[in-house]
Amino acid sequence: MEATPSFGQLCYIPAMRFSLTTWNINSVRLRIDLVAKFLKSVRPDVLCLQETKCIDDAFPLKRFKRLGYEHVALNGQKGYHGVAIVSKLPFENTDIRTFCDKIDSRHISVSFGEKAQLTKPLELHNFYVPAGGDIPDPVLNPKFDHKLKFLDEMKACEPLHPRGDDRHILVGDLNVAPHENDVWSHKQLLKIVSHTPIETEKLLAAQTHGEWFDVARERIPMSEKVYTWWSYRAADWTVGNRGRRLDHIWVSRALKDGISDFRITRDARGWERPSDHVPVTVTLDV
DNA sequence: ATGGTAGCTCGGCTA
């Protein structure tokens, strides 16, 4: 008797389940044990880090390799900023872009394809958008001016954005909480950098221009408060739950229907010597 | 209205 081919074999190549975490780690060397704890428990295929705060030669490569993350793309700098992508899956290509004519390490991207057993290419961009200082006025505060220009350049950066059935993912610490319920008090934060109208408009303009879908808000209603960051400048971060949603995962239209899970590891804010940001993870079929 | 904490490196920047 002949074996009956399964539906899958006949009709399509099954999609691969792919998981991805973004985390502003605020020094990868200082918090490598927390990273290891997280990776052992959640085991995402890919981890995108921001604020690694070290040059590439000082990045704890061996530790990641021992944890099963053998593929690493780095864009570090001494003391400040710095982004990295560590992965269980091999990359096809890696790329670094600069914004605002600065050498700041605020972007790195990789693509996945045949080497990762994907039938169609997948492009992943990891960003660390400038925080923008304290004064929300681009004339008085050059850091805020830089942030606004950076957001404008993100919007204008055509290769970044998906078109048609492109499979793109954009993650990172975007340092903007765009919606009312992305902050603990919309009213009280309207003049606080990260939630001023000019920033939120520019971030959403980039998102709309690129036909991106905000995974958190695909999964969690707009009416619900969602945070990924709680300030260090509070005696107790849990009092009043004064958080903001600064860390984001955007996916292109071709990927959004494949989303199967989204989670914010809020517990991580309470770990010993934590980052002020917590890991944000998506699982989707690719 | 202000100051609060953290990290990198040991003064002052960045967040």
Side-chain angles (χ1 to χ4, degrees):
Chain A
M1 215 207 281
E2 278 181 30
T4 309
S6 75
F7 182 77
Q9 284 170 316
L10 273 179
C11 302
Y12 63 96
I13 297 160
M16 188 171 92
R17 188 144 287 184
F18 175 89
S19 58
L20 164 75
T21 297
T22 178
W23 194 4
N24 178 320
I25 195 61
N26 187 18
S27 174
V28 68
R29 289 178 297 173
L30 189 72
R31 277 183 250 287
I32 188 63
D33 290 340
L34 295 189
V35 175
K37 172 181 173 157
F38 174 79
L39 290 178
K40 284 176 188 169
S41 114
V42 175
R43 301 296 301 161
D45 294 306
V46 179
L47 173 65
C48 295
L49 295 169
Q50 305 86 33
E51 281 205 270
T52 52
K53 294 191 172 177
C54 65
I55 58 170
D56 295 348
D57 285 345
F59 191 87
L61 261 188
K62 283 182 198 154
R63 191 72 185 277
F64 281 103
K65 293 198 172 172
R66 260 189 278 137
L67 288 159
Y69 294 79
E70 297 194 10
H71 309 280
V72 178
L74 299 174
N75 180 14
Q77 73 180 76
K78 187 178 164 70
Y80 304 102
H81 321 315
V83 288
I85 301 176
V86 303
S87 172
K88 294 200 266 185
L89 306 168
F91 312 133
E92 300 291 323
N93 294 295
T94 73
D95 190 31
I96 289 169
R97 287 184 173 274
T98 56
F99 292 81
C100 306
D101 298 318
K102 284 190 182 247
I103 53 148
D104 284 4
S105 296
R106 297 186 179 276
H107 168 269
I108 191 161
S109 64
V110 298
S111 61
F112 297 97
E114 286 176 15
K115 289 182 193 165
Q117 319 243 309
L118 293 187
T119 49
K120 286 182 276 183
L122 179 73
E123 216 174 273
L124 169 63
H125 293 268
N126 179 18
F127 273 96
Y128 177 50
V129 172
D134 287 332
I135 303 160
D137 182 332
V139 177
L140 298 176
N141 174 11
K143 284 187 234 164
F144 193 67
D145 185 56
H146 176 213
K147 182 179 196 175
L148 299 182
K149 289 195 166 98
F150 194 101
L151 292 168
D152 284 340
E153 284 192 25
M154 272 178 83
K155 178 185 172 182
C157 181
E158 290 304 333
L160 178 69
H161 300 297
R163 294 294 168 230
D165 58 1
D166 284 349
R167 292 142 47 96
H168 288 202
I169 303 176
L170 186 158
V171 306
D173 175 4
L174 305 185
N175 265 316
V176 180
H179 301 298
E180 287 197 23
N181 288 322
D182 292 340
V183 292
W184 63 276
S185 168
H186 172 61
K187 258 191 167 171
Q188 286 178 254
L189 272 80
L190 274 170
K191 289 179 180 170
I192 301 296
V193 171
S194 73
H195 194 62
T196 64
I198 189 166
E199 293 166 81
T200 60
E201 280 160 21
K202 284 184 186 295
L203 185 76
L204 294 176
Q207 188 186 98
T208 305
H209 179 75
E211 296 172 33
W212 292 102
F213 293 82
D214 175 351
V215 173
R217 289 306 181 189
E218 290 293 311
R219 303 286 292 187
I220 304 168
M222 278 292 186
S223 56
E224 207 172 301
K225 296 280 189 193
V226 185
Y227 313 135
T228 65
W229 173 91
W230 292 262
S231 175
Y232 282 129
R233 300 177 191 180
D236 181 345
W237 69 279
T238 63
V239 172
N241 193 25
R242 296 183 165 195
R244 303 179 204 168
R245 186 169 73 98
L246 303 180
D247 303 276
H248 300 266
I249 301 177
W250 296 353
V251 300
S252 61
R253 178 179 298 277
L255 292 170
K256 87 173 173 84
D257 291 335
I259 298 168
S260 57
D261 194 44
F262 172 78
R263 62 185 58 191
I264 295 168
T265 308
R266 189 180 188 275
D267 287 359
R269 186 62 180 80
W271 293 350
E272 201 180 330
R273 291 202 87 184
S275 169
D276 45 354
H277 298 252
V278 299
V280 180
T281 304
V282 68
T283 306
L284 69 169
D285 292 323
V286 295

